Amino acid sequence: MAARTRRAEIGVVDLARELGISTATVSRALNGSAAVRPELAERVRQHAESRGYVANRLARALSANTSRAFVGFMIPYVDTPAYSAVAAELARLLSADGTQMILTITENDPERELRQLRELLASRVAGLVISTSTGVLEDTKRLLTRLPVVELHRASGIDAPGVFSDDEQTLAESVLHLAALGHRRIGYLGTPTALSNGESRLRGVRRGAELAGLGRDAVTVCLPEPTQENGYRGALELLGRSPAPTALLIGGGALSIGAARAVRASGRRLPDDLSLVVYGDPSWFALSDPPLTTIAVPYPELASRAARLLLGRLDGVAGGGLAAGGGLAGGGPNLIKPELIVAGSTGPPGG
């Protein structure tokens, strides 16, 4: 077989010469330094990509012998049990196997997510657990196929196993619980349907309403991005509608924290003036007075399943088991069902 001619690699010196700027400026721009003007940094990045510099750097990182000493954990937020609790448990489990976790927080920004993924790949992480942003980019999806990946909470459509809370049935049970208490006006505050978990939760709410025989207008829906502030604003918005709901059902951990604050600020008494079902961590919500009825998610189990899947994929790579498209045999969703824990915040409508 004839030897292939190796194309000369483009380096920082070449980019600097072609752009007419210093190598230091090129390096800072490619590393995201705030010392470089945004318009210049963007010009440098675009030129680097057009010349193949970024692609070459990633290819070298991915073709090198990677160690399983480091893996990445990419999440949109960290100030919610859905991610903070899982991050702590996942780091503990991986560390016991001799693998350290590198945490990156995208703030649900697709462009930032792509930059962070490139940096992790260039750092030669052996694998990745990821919860993608709402608007995950196609470039991000393509890069994710090039290393062992496990998805968490949110499915992005890539060929990789994932660990998800099986929310649809429990959300349906929550609506049935409220309907059995006599509620006919329910406000649902959930995550956007652009997210896989947002879609499944809303599907459960609608199925529960149908099974309970509620009318089409019985459930009022608000679907903001899942942050505590949006939970606060969304709950007040639902409570301000006329006629006001007699019960609120929250489909998200961060939204639940904000919604609980909003209910307290509104002066409504639980469950006399309003019934409230929240989502997430039962130990935290049990501290409320009265304790809150909760869709309790087993976060340690989610973390344990994600860790086992990722370590299994790393073993598969070592044994040649990673398929060309990035998948392994046995990939797909791993669903863990949450539990509806009824407590003092739900009761018959007060009026």
Side-chain angles (χ1 to χ4, degrees):
M1 180 182 294
R4 289 182 296 177
T5 302
R6 184 179 179 183
R7 186 177 65 177
E9 292 185 352
I10 300 298
V12 171
V13 174
D14 303 301
L15 297 175
R17 184 180 65 253
E18 292 165 2
L19 290 166
I21 58 179
S22 69
T23 56
T25 299
V26 171
S27 179
R28 292 191 190 102
L30 294 176
N31 286 309
S33 171
V36 183
R37 299 191 317 276
E39 61 272 17
L40 177 57
E42 181 62 23
R43 184 161 68 93
V44 171
R45 285 193 292 268
Q46 288 183 0
H47 183 72
E49 291 191 24
S50 71
R51 297 287 282 121
Y53 173 78
V54 173
N56 285 342
R57 183 166 65 111
L58 292 178
R60 287 197 300 274
L62 291 169
S63 64
N65 290 326
T66 58
S67 163
R68 62 189 291 166
F70 295 99
V71 298
F73 184 40
M74 294 186 68
I75 55 177
Y77 311 105
V78 76
D79 59 344
T80 170
Y83 294 112
S84 59
V86 171
E89 181 67 5
L90 188 61
R92 186 186 69 80
L93 293 168
L94 292 171
S95 178
D97 190 73
T99 300
Q100 300 303 309
M101 188 181 79
I102 302 173
L103 174 66
T104 65
I105 303 166
T106 67
E107 296 181 355
N108 209 40
D109 180 343
E111 294 289 347
R112 179 171 180 169
E113 179 176 62
L114 178 58
R115 290 195 301 271
Q116 290 180 345
L117 177 58
R118 284 173 168 159
E119 290 165 1
L120 286 173
L121 290 173
S123 300
R124 298 189 178 98
V125 293
L128 182 68
V129 177
I130 185 170
S131 185
T132 55
S133 64
T134 306
V136 57
L137 301 174
E138 290 301 318
D139 284 347
T140 298
K141 292 182 183 181
R142 281 192 289 271
L143 288 178
L144 288 174
T145 65
R146 303 179 68 177
L147 81 167
V149 170
V150 172
E151 294 192 291
L152 176 72
H153 289 314
R154 303 175 177 185
S156 65
I158 64 173
D159 181 19
V163 182
F164 311 104
S165 179
D166 189 8
D167 293 325
E168 182 175 345
Q169 179 61 29
T170 310
L171 265 294
E173 292 171 4
S174 301
V175 174
L176 288 169
H177 167 65
L178 292 171
L181 291 171
H183 293 278
R184 296 296 180 267
R185 299 195 306 275
I186 300 170
Y188 172 61
L189 178 61
T191 54
T193 55
L195 298 173
S196 61
N197 53 15
E199 182 180 17
S200 68
R201 291 167 187 169
L202 181 59
R203 192 164 56 241
V205 168
R206 287 175 170 164
R207 183 157 64 87
E210 181 179 355
L211 290 172
L214 299 179
R216 292 186 60 183
D217 298 328
V219 179
T220 305
V221 174
C222 180
L223 304 175
E225 286 293 330
T227 67
Q228 292 186 30
E229 283 307 307
N230 283 344
Y232 185 88
R233 287 193 292 265
L236 289 181
E237 176 190 331
L238 288 171
L239 293 173
R241 296 189 181 184
S242 181
T246 59
L248 283 184
L249 170 58
I250 316 300
L255 293 174
S256 292
I257 295 172
R261 287 174 40 227
V263 170
R264 179 181 292 272
S266 75
R268 287 172 169 82
R269 297 168 300 160
L270 300 176
D272 298 334
D273 302 324
L274 179 76
S275 283
L276 177 64
V277 179
V278 293
Y279 181 102
D281 183 357
S283 62
W284 189 91
F285 292 122
L287 299 176
S288 175
D289 184 18
L292 304 184
T293 295
T294 306
I295 298 168
V297 183
Y299 293 124
E301 188 176 350
L302 287 169
S304 174
R305 191 78 61 89
R308 293 200 306 270
L309 278 172
L310 182 60
L311 292 172
R313 285 176 64 78
L314 296 182
D315 291 338
V317 170
L322 187 62
L328 282 172
N334 288 257
L335 302 177
I336 299 174
K337 188 177 181 298
E339 177 185 4
L340 177 64
I341 298 178
V342 176
S345 68
T346 51

